Amino acid sequence: MKLTAREYGSGQPFLLLHGLGGDMSAWETLAPHLNGRAVAVDLRGHGQSPDGPWDWEAVLDDLDETAVHFGLDNPVVVGHSLGGILAGTWAVRHPECPAAISLDGHRSATTDPANYAGLPEEQLHADLDRLNDVFTTQEQMLTRPDRSITSVLRTAPEFLDALPVFAKVTTPFLLVLATRNLPVPPGLLPLMDAHRAGLRRDLPVVCPNVHVHEIDATHGMVVERPAEVAAVVNQFVSNRRNA
């Protein structure tokens, strides 16, 4: 599938992958700060790219075709949210990748109850029901992607918990973790804190291969702090190149 894409800059190649419901415009402010030539894409079913069923291998095929089309020789892959999970799957497929970076793409906010830490079980289940209702409402408001994609993703094991995917990555891999919560109903803030606590607990155990950098931002870090996030990416890539 031929994806719509946009280029920025020159030099070392980067492939930029947006989050669920987003498009390549998410990178407009961040991409110019990267030390290299960046190609941002609209994933299948998003932005101006064609529709197609969500299959992880097929989506990776789309990205491979895009890399070939733009002459990206072994790019650094940077993804936000869903794109960050894809960065991990790309790195598993391409162990020769010089580096892969996930910007707060790790586990769905409505993942397995065992992935939260510090909440009483009864409150945890009630809060998850409430948050699922919020996400269902948001899903119904989306024009792209359509529900053939969102419904698949909401139950996909890789989307619910990407840590087992990340554990398979052998190339240098960085997870940039947000420390602030996105706006949610006040009663759900403890659930968001428990979600982050579960990540901090599990990442060193499940993914000792993953470098973690925490940043003072919400999940919207790409738009909120583009220069700072780009600097973190540039530093990680530079350190790996000079190692």
Side-chain angles (χ1 to χ4, degrees):
M1 178 180 293
K2 185 175 181 180
L3 302 180
T4 302
R6 178 181 175 183
E7 292 184 76
Y8 301 83
S10 61
Q12 175 165 336
F14 288 80
L15 184 61
L16 306 182
L17 313 176
H18 61 77
L20 178 62
D23 57 43
M24 63 184 174
S25 67
W27 302 100
E28 286 179 351
T29 309
L30 188 150
H33 293 284
L34 293 174
N35 294 335
R37 175 191 176 212
V39 173
V41 304
D42 284 342
L43 298 171
R44 62 167 54 196
H46 291 73
Q48 299 177 54
S49 287
D51 288 315
W54 190 271
D55 172 84
W56 296 93
E57 293 302 317
V59 172
L60 290 174
D61 289 343
D62 295 344
L63 299 177
D64 278 332
E65 291 174 16
T66 301
V68 170
H69 177 79
F70 283 92
L72 301 180
D73 183 17
N74 202 17
V76 173
V77 179
V78 183
H80 172 241
S81 193
L82 170 61
I85 297 172
L86 277 171
T89 62
W90 170 279
V92 172
R93 177 184 277 200
H94 295 282
E96 74 283 2
C97 176
I101 296 96
S102 173
L103 305 177
D104 217 39
H106 34 67
R107 285 172 168 164
S108 170
T110 54
T111 179
D112 188 284
N115 293 334
Y116 301 82
L119 274 186
E121 184 174 355
E122 183 176 345
Q123 179 183 352
L124 173 59
H125 287 280
D127 287 353
L128 282 172
D129 288 343
R130 290 181 61 199
L131 188 58
N132 267 308
D133 288 342
V134 171
F135 286 161
T136 296
T137 299
Q138 292 175 343
E139 180 183 13
Q140 292 169 347
M141 296 172 62
L142 287 174
T143 55
R144 300 204 80 202
D146 63 32
R147 295 194 68 182
S148 68
I149 289 180
T150 57
S151 61
V152 169
L153 280 172
R154 286 185 66 180
T155 58
E158 299 88 343
F159 190 73
L160 290 171
D161 185 3
L163 269 59
V165 174
F166 295 169
K168 299 176 184 177
V169 173
T170 57
T171 197
F173 191 90
L174 173 66
L175 171 61
V176 182
L177 184 62
T179 61
R180 295 188 181 186
N181 295 317
L182 278 170
V184 294
L188 293 178
L189 290 175
L191 180 68
M192 298 296 95
D193 291 338
H195 182 269
R196 190 176 299 107
L199 280 166
R200 288 172 172 152
R201 177 196 64 196
D202 297 340
L203 277 165
V205 177
V206 180
C207 306
N209 56 312
V210 173
H211 301 263
V212 179
H213 178 93
E214 296 197 2
I215 190 169
D216 183 24
T218 75
H219 187 66
M221 62 177 70
V222 171
V223 174
E224 293 172 4
R225 297 179 178 267
E228 182 178 348
V229 172
V232 171
V233 171
N234 288 332
Q235 187 64 52
F236 183 74
V237 174
S238 176
N239 288 346
R240 305 287 82 71
R241 187 170 57 240
N242 296 328

